[in-house]
Amino acid sequence: MNILKFGGTSVGSASSISALLAIVSEAREKDDCVVVLSAMSGVTNLLLDMADKAQFGEDYTAQLRTLEEKHFDVIRALLPASAQNPVFTKLKIYFNELEDILQAVFNLKELTAQSKDLILSYGERCSTFMVSHIARQEHVDVLAVDGSELIKTDNDYGQAKVDMPLSEMLINDFYSQHVGKLLFVTGFISSNDDGRVTTLGRGGSDYTAAIWGSALNAQEIQIWTDVNGMLTADPRIVEKAFSLPELSYTEAMELSYFGAKVIYPPTMIPAFLKKIPIVIKNTFDASFPGTYIKHDVKTSDLPIKGLSSIDDISILNLSGSGMVGKAGFSGRLFSLLAREQINVVLITQSSSEHSITFAVKPADAIKALNLISKEFELELQAKKLEYPEVENGLSVLAIVGENMKHTPGMSARLFNALGRNGVNVRAIAQGSSEYNISVILAKADLSKALNAVHDAFYSELKKTLHIFCLGTGNIGKTLFHQLEIQMPFLAKNNDLEVKVMGISNSRKMYLSQLGLDLQDWQTKLDEEGQPADLKQFVAQMKAMNLPNCVFVDNTASTIPVCFYEEVLESSISIVTCNKIGNSSDFAQYWAFKKAARTYGVDFYYETNVGAGLPIIRTLRDLTMSGDKVARIEAILSGTISYIFNNFKGDKLFHEVVKEAQEKGYTEPDPRDDLNGKDFMRKMLILARDAGYAMEAKDISIESMLPPACLNASSVEDFYQELENNAAYFENMKTQANNNNQVLRYIGKLEEGRVEITLQMVDDSHPFFALSGSDNIISFTTDRYKERPLVIKGPGAGAEVTAAGVFADIINVGKK
């Protein structure tokens, strides 16, 4: 014996009813079964709407016609013309009865809970009668059963309490009288001792199935719906949610209580008491095994079984000295709320007993506030209690799983994921059973929080980074190309996905909630992009409120730097190759560092100093591990490095500079590289990262060019001045060659002083053997005293710089 319950979507159309009947036929070949049906999808809401309209004297006839046509269309599609009339006639009787009831409500302008239950009962009555008659085309022994006659309840209309012993006796008697029949039973509806229709509350059809299963000692209770079992999270919010093969009753109950809408919590109680498995399956993918909810679940490797949420909640906070040590205070408070039928979703109390916070449905918040104000009037007047506060616009997020009690660090993982994404927690509740940790947070942050926490707990899934990129020059374009090529590798080997959600340059900007395809980002930006407005770009990025966001600055502009602090304070990490921010005022540099630390995000700028070379990271690792830096020597200009590495033989200095410009190693005006200011910025950033609160004016720069070259009125005049001063440069080259030395432009940090000078070094110096545009840096520390730590490699070029930016993005993802 199996109970098969089908939800509204499963009886929502002709095609879904055909799928339903195929499942029933297959099930009946193996075992006896009882089929429990919900109303057609949308019908319960339609009935509620008609009831409300009738109560307020509004016309409801259009909705009634819609209701009729919804059923009649199915009959026309699935029954031959010769079999249609009896079904039309019975349904028409139902609709006439319904119309009479609605007319009575319309006349009285009054809708009682009893009347509402009676109106709602017609959804299940119509669907069950209709589907049972369609089933008779294949099964001759079909019987439509009005479940309200067999499930008996109290008089609490809308949320009736079931008399289980009486109901089970009636069900057993009925079943024994109809052995061998295929029963189609109305879900959701029941009746009291007077025979008046009551309903079992939200998800009541599930409850009906469980009651029948318990009464008949079914082998299992199958809940057929439109999803593949119970998922780790709501798939409408968390795209990566996946089906769980099995859950314990406790886990399923916790998930259902906190918003998982696949199954109704009371459903599990009759099944739990008799240890009957409940199976959640998909009508539209019947071959999928679904989720088993049962007593003897296997040990799982998953740290949690799932995330659930209630998307709209209000909290009340009651505090004051009058609560401290006051025996029975909590009992008095919650007895008051229970007496007035106010359901408390979550409770948390400070250990000092000075405050109690509890969550209720928004519709109950004002009622609860008024009740508390009256009940504790004397305490409030005596100032022993503060007047209670109500906060709206909140949600509950819960993580659930029996493994939580055996796995250390569950809370840390939860709060780290929330904290790194700027989600503020308003209240926390955890039972001693450790099956559930619940937090209350802003409703606006719920989607971001669910995705961030899901990523944090299911490490076998790909973590998604959402990046917003400024700059589409050489570095930006190269980064997109590298991302496109490397993403399959990252997904396979690092479980990481990088999605570009927005791009902006100085002309256009384009943002998409779905992300951009890196194969045609240029077309999207050019053809569909809005005029560039960095303030709007940042505002839209924040408004998207996505988890694990990274703001990537691939420009050399001062404008993005103005937004760094705002971005960091929005709990969005920054990766930048733009060195302007870190090399301006020390106060600004320190503000960025402080904001990143305060808001728990990353501020990475490896490419500020050595393109793709791991210079910043190495310095950070040295200082973080307790090593003391005595001296840093560096050549950090790929342009200058290339020029002096190629200034040999018969080549003249101005020819080498021209060659460097033609190869793309210099700025359009080579003086922007050769005046040493860019080198100075890099040394300043190194000094600051080494712990020195330095400003640009504290760095001594020796010019490598005569004043006439630096002061030329144009680039053309600059080259002319270089040629005019050829003897000056030839003299330096000759002097170095005569001493077996080479020319090097070297920056040095030692004892809190930074200087950049043009030097001649011999083959004993680590900077002697350089080639191309290589950068090189030497760290002399307490640990690397006799033999300095040297890093050497390409210090310029779009490929290596973009690779450095890429590496920083990946390092954000690792956290």
Side-chain angles (χ1 to χ4, degrees):
M1 161 60 66
N2 290 323
I3 308 296
L4 280 63
K5 179 263 172 180
F6 292 90
T9 53
S10 300
V11 291
S13 66
S15 59
S16 61
I17 291 171
S18 297
L20 176 162
L21 293 174
I23 292 166
V24 171
S25 296
E26 185 177 345
R28 205 178 183 205
E29 289 176 3
K30 302 173 185 175
D31 301 292
D32 287 339
C33 62
V34 172
V35 181
V36 177
L37 299 179
S38 296
M40 294 181 75
S41 58
V43 164
T44 300
N45 288 337
L46 200 60
L47 290 166
L48 280 171
D49 186 38
M50 284 191 284
D52 288 339
K53 284 182 178 298
Q55 178 186 8
F56 294 108
E58 299 175 16
D59 183 23
Y60 51 82
T61 54
Q63 285 83 355
L64 188 58
R65 286 194 298 272
T66 300
L67 181 69
E68 290 183 6
E69 285 305 311
K70 192 174 181 70
H71 290 81
F72 289 173
D73 285 348
V74 171
I75 294 164
R76 294 185 188 103
L78 296 180
L79 282 177
S82 59
Q84 291 176 8
N85 279 341
V87 187
F88 283 143
T89 300
K90 179 63 174 177
L91 286 178
K92 194 63 181 173
I93 291 171
Y94 278 145
F95 296 139
N96 289 339
E97 290 175 0
L98 175 61
E99 187 173 14
D100 289 343
I101 299 166
L102 290 168
Q103 186 62 44
V105 172
F106 181 90
N107 292 336
L108 294 170
K109 302 294 188 293
E110 180 183 23
L111 179 64
T112 64
Q114 180 180 332
S115 300
K116 183 182 286 187
D117 274 6
L118 183 57
I119 291 168
L120 293 180
S121 71
Y122 282 90
E124 274 69 21
R125 289 180 183 184
C126 291
S127 66
T128 303
F129 176 78
M130 178 181 70
V131 174
S132 66
H133 266 266
I134 296 169
R136 284 182 182 145
Q137 305 304 302
E138 186 174 343
H139 307 277
V140 295
D141 52 352
V142 170
L143 182 63
V145 182
D146 187 342
S148 67
E149 297 175 359
L150 303 175
I151 297 179
K152 291 297 180 179
T153 69
D154 61 10
N155 298 322
D156 187 8
Y157 296 100
Q159 192 81 40
K161 184 178 179 182
V162 177
D163 183 338
M164 285 298 294
L166 177 57
S167 299
E168 290 195 358
M169 183 188 73
L170 292 172
I171 290 168
N172 269 303
D173 286 347
F174 182 88
Y175 186 76
S176 63
Q177 295 172 24
H178 300 89
V179 173
K181 295 282 188 180
L182 176 56
L183 305 182
F184 281 79
V185 182
T186 56
F188 180 57
I189 60 176
S190 46
S191 64
N192 60 18
D193 290 340
D194 297 326
R196 297 184 182 278
V197 171
T198 58
T199 59
L200 301 176
R202 182 179 65 84
S205 293
D206 292 351
Y207 198 10
T208 300
I211 295 166
W212 275 76
S214 175
L216 300 178
N217 292 308
Q219 181 180 340
E220 63 183 33
I221 299 165
Q222 299 176 6
I223 307 294
W224 290 85
T225 181
D226 57 356
V227 293
N228 287 332
M230 288 193 79
L231 280 70
T232 51
D234 187 338
R236 295 168 299 180
I237 301 174
V238 181
E239 290 183 9
K240 299 178 190 174
F242 58 91
S243 296
L244 295 161
E246 60 181 24
L247 292 166
S248 70
Y249 291 114
T250 304
E251 290 170 331
M253 204 134 9
E254 292 278 0
L255 284 169
S256 299
Y257 179 74
F258 281 97
K261 298 176 177 61
V262 175
I263 193 168
Y264 182 52
T267 298
M268 283 168 279
I269 297 171
F272 174 78
L273 293 174
K274 292 194 175 180
K275 297 181 180 178
I276 301 171
I278 300 172
V279 194
I280 314 296
K281 293 179 72 72
N282 190 345
T283 304
F284 310 102
D285 188 4
S287 61
F288 192 85
T291 300
Y292 274 80
I293 302 169
K294 55 184 183 176
H295 176 73
D296 52 339
V297 297
K298 300 172 187 173
T299 303
S300 171
D301 294 331
L302 297 174
I304 63 171
K305 283 295 179 67
L307 288 78
S308 197
S309 60
I310 302 173
D311 64 356
D312 201 5
I313 209 79
S314 297
I315 62 172
L316 285 87
N317 186 54
L318 196 58
S319 61
S321 59
M323 298 166 57
V324 179
K326 189 76 171 177
F329 183 89
S330 297
R332 184 179 164 195
L333 170 63
F334 295 114
S335 295
L336 167 70
L337 298 173
R339 189 167 63 243
E340 298 297 328
Q341 301 295 307
I342 295 176
N343 182 42
V344 176
V345 175
L346 178 151
I347 305 166
T348 181
Q349 181 174 15
S350 65
S351 58
S352 66
E353 301 183 33
H354 186 267
S355 68
I356 294 176
T357 299
F358 61 93
V360 296
K361 295 177 181 176
D364 292 332
I366 299 301
K367 182 180 178 182
L369 183 66
N370 292 334
L371 288 169
I372 292 168
S373 298
K374 291 178 182 178
E375 177 71 19
F376 298 98
E377 184 177 2
L378 294 177
E379 289 91 336
L380 291 167
Q381 289 178 354
K383 304 295 185 183
K384 290 184 177 180
L385 288 179
E386 300 293 330
Y387 275 92
E389 302 170 355
V390 178
E391 286 189 53
N392 298 310
L394 301 172
S395 296
V396 178
L397 181 152
I399 60 171
V400 173
E402 292 185 351
N403 266 4
M404 287 164 57
K405 67 163 64 175
H406 308 299
T407 311
M410 291 292 98
S411 297
R413 202 185 301 190
L414 168 64
F415 294 115
N416 180 62
L418 296 174
R420 273 188 65 83
N421 285 282
V423 178
N424 186 40
V425 174
R426 295 289 297 108
I428 306 163
Q430 179 178 11
S432 58
S433 66
E434 295 186 53
Y435 286 143
N436 177 315
I437 302 175
S438 304
V439 296
I440 293 179
L441 41 84
K443 185 177 179 179
D445 288 332
L446 180 61
S447 175
K448 177 167 70 170
L450 283 168
N451 280 279
V453 174
H454 196 272
D455 267 3
F457 279 98
Y458 297 108
S459 57
E460 69 277 9
L461 297 176
K462 292 189 287 292
K463 180 177 181 177
T464 301
L465 286 180
H466 301 99
I467 67 172
F468 297 81
C469 299
L470 302 184
T472 57
N474 286 339
I475 296 171
K477 288 178 180 176
T478 306
L479 174 64
F480 296 149
H481 181 65
Q482 291 176 355
L483 277 170
E484 185 182 355
I485 292 173
Q486 195 66 6
M487 278 314 304
F489 175 87
L490 289 174
K492 181 179 179 181
N493 297 281
N494 297 80
D495 298 319
L496 186 66
E497 178 185 20
V498 181
K499 292 181 72 173
V500 179
M501 310 304 292
I503 298 175
S504 180
N505 55 30
S506 59
R507 301 173 303 281
K508 291 284 191 73
M509 67 180 191
Y510 183 86
L511 297 96
S512 169
Q513 194 77 37
L514 300 175
L516 283 86
D517 185 343
L518 291 179
Q519 291 186 338
D520 70 343
W521 67 266
Q522 185 79 62
T523 304
K524 284 283 187 185
L525 183 64
D526 292 342
E527 296 181 1
E528 300 181 32
Q530 302 172 303
D533 182 335
L534 193 48
K535 184 176 181 180
Q536 278 299 314
F537 184 87
V538 172
Q540 288 185 45
M541 174 181 69
K542 290 163 61 178
M544 288 169 77
N545 208 22
L546 296 168
N548 310 320
C549 286
V550 188
F551 182 75
V552 182
D553 181 7
N554 288 324
T555 74
S557 169
T558 58
I559 299 173
V561 176
C562 303
F563 292 92
Y564 280 10
E565 206 166 344
E566 177 185 347
V567 169
L568 294 167
E569 289 174 356
S570 301
S571 298
I572 297 172
S573 295
I574 292 179
V575 169
T576 179
C577 64
N578 184 347
K579 64 182 71 71
I580 293 174
N582 285 325
S583 60
S584 297
D585 294 343
F586 179 81
Q588 178 177 272
Y589 161 87
W590 189 247
F592 297 158
K593 290 277 190 177
K594 184 179 179 181
R597 189 166 60 249
T598 301
Y599 292 91
V601 290
D602 298 309
F603 178 46
Y604 287 155
Y605 46 91
E606 184 66 70
T607 50
N608 276 197
V609 173
L613 296 179
I615 294 172
I616 297 289
R617 194 172 305 124
T618 300
L619 177 58
R620 183 173 64 242
D621 290 346
L622 290 171
T623 55
M624 290 289 287
S625 64
D627 203 356
K628 187 176 180 181
V629 176
R631 183 171 61 256
I632 297 175
E633 289 183 285
I635 294 175
L636 297 175
S637 170
T639 303
I640 297 174
S641 180
Y642 177 87
I643 289 170
F644 283 121
N645 286 335
N646 288 275
F647 183 39
K648 53 190 177 183
D650 295 332
K651 284 188 176 180
L652 298 174
F653 190 78
H654 70 273
E655 293 174 343
V656 179
V657 174
K658 190 68 174 176
E659 182 182 297
Q661 185 178 24
E662 289 170 352
K663 288 181 177 290
Y665 288 131
T666 76
E667 296 294 330
D669 187 338
R671 285 172 294 181
D672 292 340
D673 298 291
L674 300 180
N675 61 17
K677 287 183 180 178
D678 187 64
F679 196 166
M680 178 274 294
R681 291 191 183 103
K682 296 177 179 180
M683 289 302 298
L684 179 60
I685 293 168
L686 282 176
R688 288 172 171 176
D689 275 14
Y692 297 100
M694 299 186 71
E695 302 288 357
K697 61 182 177 59
D698 300 323
I699 296 179
S700 171
I701 306 176
E702 178 187 352
S703 175
M704 70 175 75
L705 300 176
C709 299
L710 291 172
N711 297 328
S713 59
S714 65
V715 174
E716 186 179 338
D717 289 344
F718 162 71
Y719 276 112
Q720 185 60 54
E721 289 297 336
L722 284 182
E723 192 172 345
N724 294 342
N725 286 274
Y728 169 81
F729 296 109
E730 284 298 310
N731 183 49
M732 285 194 297
K733 180 172 68 173
T734 302
Q735 185 180 346
N737 287 338
N738 290 342
N739 295 318
N740 294 319
Q741 295 175 318
V742 292
L743 292 166
R744 297 288 182 257
Y745 199 51
I746 299 174
K748 183 171 73 171
L749 166 65
E750 189 171 20
E751 296 181 351
R753 294 179 61 238
V754 177
E755 58 182 19
I756 301 170
T757 56
L758 184 61
Q759 301 179 30
M760 297 181 188
V761 300
D762 59 24
D763 58 6
S764 65
H765 197 286
F767 294 0
F768 179 84
L770 271 185
S771 61
S773 61
D774 280 359
N775 281 4
I776 189 167
I777 187 165
S778 166
F779 295 100
T780 303
T781 70
D782 286 353
R783 295 174 190 156
Y784 296 92
K785 187 176 295 183
E786 301 301 325
R787 299 181 65 190
L789 172 62
V790 176
I791 299 170
K792 175 185 172 183
E799 285 288 342
V800 291
T801 304
V805 172
F806 196 163
D808 276 348
I809 292 170
I810 300 308
N811 282 325
V812 174
K814 289 179 181 178
K815 291 192 177 183

